[in-house]
Amino acid sequence: MERISIQEDFVFGSVMSNKHLCQHLIQIILPELRINRIEFPTLQKAVQENIISRGVRFDVYTKDQNGVVYEIDMQVRHIRGLPQWVRYYQGRIDGDMLRHGQPYAKLRQSYVIFICPFDPYDKGLHKYEFRNYCRQDKSLAMEDGRTAIFLNAKGTVNDVDQDLRNFLEYVDNKDVKDDHYVDELRDYINVLSKDTEWRKEYMDNKTHMMFHDEDIRAEGRKEGRAEGQTLASQPPRPKGRGL
């Protein structure tokens, strides 16, 4: 049987549907918080305000006992616009959280967390955490309650607890030993893989994603050719005179 990686979107969503495993992951990502319980995670939660605006589909969406929202995505592609993607997610979470007529102060804290098997900022950190601060005085926080986190499975710096480092190494398909949480993840995936119905859905999803990726590559090649033809059709620039 082939190795099933937690990097795969379908697998990650299946694992995070387990309330205990999802809560434990949030806790090791944010050890400074006290998370007593979470709602049952909502997988592939869709949010769209109207037919014109672009909707979003969150991989894993849940709340803790204080109403704090956690949105977690397994982001395997290093695409352009990841920060803007997070910004859009945060806006959609705020819109979903606040009902018509409610004061803005009712907005709860929210965390958008992207788990990446690549280094999004090439600094070697395992964890890049962003909040809003005053540019002129970094000690002054805006305190709007929004936090964006990029987790880097390729991290090299000693910047996080061993529990989180072990999880990220597991995401990176490394052989992690003597870690209770990673063992739980492995065992859970092993149980899922023996379920005939889950296995069928997994294979169907894998086939779908294979064709989806090929469509993306074909579209990229098409755009590249169109851009090349546009550049080729432009007249050459006149050479400037030397001084």
Side-chain angles (χ1 to χ4, degrees), residues 19-127:
K19 188 177 178 181
H20 162 71
L21 295 176
C22 184
Q23 180 175 335
H24 194 133
L25 177 59
I26 296 170
Q27 190 65 81
I28 66 174
I29 293 172
L30 297 161
E32 68 276 14
L33 300 185
R34 192 181 197 120
I35 302 172
N36 298 324
R37 66 180 186 278
I38 62 169
E39 295 179 351
F40 277 99
T42 303
L43 307 182
Q44 296 295 309
K45 177 181 172 68
V47 176
Q48 184 163 350
E49 292 180 356
N50 53 60
I51 60 174
I52 299 175
S53 65
R54 178 169 181 169
V56 296
R57 189 177 296 276
F58 304 127
D59 279 3
V60 179
Y61 184 101
T62 190
K63 298 178 183 178
D64 68 14
Q65 72 277 1
N66 298 315
V68 177
V69 171
Y70 305 90
E71 193 283 321
I72 313 172
D73 265 39
M74 182 66 70
Q75 180 56 247
V76 297
R77 294 181 182 85
H78 196 345
I79 60 175
R80 289 184 299 175
L82 272 182
Q84 288 79 10
W85 193 339
V86 169
R87 171 184 167 183
Y88 195 74
Y89 271 28
Q90 288 176 324
R92 282 293 182 261
I93 289 171
D94 289 346
D96 187 58
M97 195 186 306
L98 197 65
R99 298 307 173 197
H100 180 71
Q102 287 186 313
Y104 295 115
K106 285 283 187 182
L107 283 172
R108 298 287 186 176
Q109 286 182 289
S110 66
Y111 293 83
V112 173
I113 302 167
F114 277 16
I115 303 172
C116 310
F118 56 83
D119 191 335
Y121 290 97
D122 296 322
K123 298 292 185 182
L125 299 176
H126 290 88
K127 181 179 179 180

Side-chain angles (χ1 to χ4, degrees), residues 16 21-22 24-25 28 167 179-185:
M16 289 299 106
L21 295 176
C22 184
H24 194 133
L25 177 59
I28 66 174
F167 168 74
D179 186 281
H180 181 68
Y181 181 61
V182 171
D183 288 343
E184 283 189 299
L185 295 174

Side-chain angles (χ1 to χ4, degrees), residues 128-183:
Y128 298 93
E129 183 170 335
F130 297 92
R131 302 188 186 192
N132 289 328
Y133 294 93
C134 175
R135 187 174 178 180
Q136 286 73 25
D137 182 355
K138 294 293 173 52
S139 67
L140 180 61
M142 189 172 182
E143 295 184 354
D144 60 354
R146 298 191 298 177
T147 302
I149 296 174
F150 294 91
L151 297 178
N152 166 30
K154 303 288 188 185
T156 57
V157 177
N158 184 21
D159 60 327
V160 295
D161 293 342
Q162 192 64 47
D163 288 344
L164 181 54
R165 188 179 303 183
N166 286 346
F167 168 74
L168 291 173
E169 288 185 355
Y170 176 63
V171 169
D172 201 32
N173 295 319
K174 292 186 171 65
D175 188 19
V176 178
K177 292 180 169 47
D178 301 322
D179 186 281
H180 181 68
Y181 181 61
V182 171
D183 288 343

